[in-house]
Amino acid sequence: MRNISDIIEGYLKAIIEEEQDGVIEIKRNEVAEKFQCVPSQINYVINTRFTAERGYAVESKRGGGGYIRIFRVRANTRKDLIEHILAGLQNGVSHTMALDIVYRLLEEEVISDRESKLILAAVDRATIRIPLPERDELRARVLHAMLVTLIYEEF
């Protein structure tokens, strides 16, 4: 059974996909009212499911006429996407960031389901059993090596 966060995420993604420019503007309270949840639940979904690693940019304006604008960011090519991700690996990668990166690569059909499972197994906390911050640095190096391999495989 899907939880409320999954349902809200699905709803917002469906609206984004319907928009030709991949941009939506919502009011947090209105979405919360639609799903009969607290507004902080909407914040949670946006902060965890609409991240840069997953291919989204978020803007917000607070106050009475406030809004949250969500942009779908798509790279021109697979190579551009991988290079963009590589640029973000410089300061280490948390487990959550790695999940988001793999999710985006899978969603944009850069990798297969099987490849995603292999990557996630390689960068999992249980696999890299060293203390922080070295764990995040090693995870970034492993992801970097895998992504560079994907660039050369494709091109």
Side-chain angles (χ1 to χ4, degrees):
M1 185 173 166
R2 296 173 49 188
N3 65 34
I4 188 71
S5 294
D6 294 337
I7 294 167
I8 295 166
E9 175 189 11
Y11 168 77
L12 294 174
K13 283 184 175 180
I15 295 172
I16 291 170
E17 293 304 317
E18 288 175 8
E19 293 299 319
Q20 192 171 12
D21 58 359
V23 178
I24 62 169
E25 198 170 282
I26 62 168
K27 293 195 180 265
R28 185 178 68 139
N29 289 338
E30 290 174 6
V31 177
E33 190 175 306
K34 178 177 179 62
F35 291 98
Q36 299 178 353
C37 66
V38 294
S40 62
Q41 182 73 40
I42 306 306
N43 284 348
Y44 170 79
V45 171
I46 291 169
N47 291 335
T48 60
R49 312 285 177 97
F50 294 90
T51 63
E53 292 83 13
R54 287 189 176 209
Y56 295 93
V58 178
E59 245 178 40
S60 64
K61 179 184 173 219
R62 296 183 183 265
Y67 61 82
I68 298 172
R69 189 175 292 145
I70 305 171
F71 303 83
R72 178 72 171 133
V73 180
R74 293 206 186 265
N76 292 327
T77 66
R78 289 177 178 198
K79 184 177 187 243
D80 289 343
L81 173 60
I82 293 171
E83 287 174 345
H84 173 74
I85 292 170
L86 287 170
L89 301 180
Q90 305 307 317
N91 299 323
V93 175
S94 69
H95 186 258
T96 302
M97 285 175 65
L99 291 173
D100 287 349
I101 289 167
V102 170
Y103 175 83
R104 181 172 185 193
L105 292 170
L106 189 59
E107 188 175 71
E108 298 207 20
E109 299 178 354
V110 173
I111 60 175
S112 68
D113 188 50
R114 184 170 190 260
E115 290 167 331
S116 73
K117 290 176 183 173
L118 289 169
I119 293 169
L120 290 175
V123 300
D124 191 78
R125 290 181 183 119
T127 304
I128 306 174
R129 297 181 66 180
I130 58 175
L132 291 171
E134 291 85 9
R135 179 173 55 217
D136 288 353
E137 291 167 4
L138 179 57
R139 183 179 290 116
R141 288 197 308 268
V142 169
L143 265 176
H144 186 276
M146 291 178 168
L147 293 176
V148 167
T149 301
L150 286 174
I151 287 178
Y152 293 120
E153 179 183 305
E154 291 291 324
F155 302 97

